[in-house]
Every structure is written in structure tokens, then in C-alpha cells.
Amino acid sequence: MVVSVAQPPETKKPTKDIRKDVRSVWFIAEPNGQQLGEIMRLVEDGKCKGVVISVWGIELGESA
């Protein structure tokens, strides 16, 4: 299962070497401490893991 809160996962889906049974869902996230705690427990229990597909640098402007 691929879950995205940034954009529909299909826009970043690989074109080759992908399993046919992988499902995806996109939703708008609202801050919720209880839900974040549940996610934390899933990660700590090894039932959920993040996968980094890209990294963007942050350009810092000069302060005035």
C-alpha cells in the first residue's frame, strides 16, 4: 500500500519493476495527535515504514 498526503501516488509511480498488487491512496491530512500516536506505534512495531523516493534541498535566502 502506498499512502500519500502530498500528491496522488500515481503521478510518481515507477514505470517498470512494480508489483501488480500494490494499491495506493491519496488524502488530505489534518493534524491529529491521536492519529499521529497510532502511526508512531505502527512504525515502532515495524508494521509501517517510510520510503524516500526523492529529496529536495532547501535554498535559504539572505536575511535583510
Side-chain angles (χ1 to χ4, degrees):
M1 171 67 79
V2 176
V3 179
S4 174
V5 296
Q7 65 189 38
E10 290 78 18
T11 63
K12 294 290 186 178
K13 186 176 181 180
T15 57
K16 62 180 181 173
D17 299 327
I18 186 168
R19 291 175 38 173
K20 302 291 184 213
D21 62 342
V22 174
R23 296 179 297 142
S24 62
V25 63
W26 175 51
F27 66 97
I28 304 297
E30 300 266 339
N32 181 307
Q34 182 179 357
Q35 291 174 345
L36 289 173
E38 289 295 320
I39 293 170
M40 180 185 72
R41 282 186 279 288
L42 289 170
V43 171
E44 288 175 344
D45 291 346
K47 296 179 180 178
C48 180
K49 68 176 184 173
V51 178
V52 177
I53 60 170
S54 59
V55 176
W56 292 283
I58 299 175
E59 294 182 27
L60 300 175
E62 294 180 14
S63 57

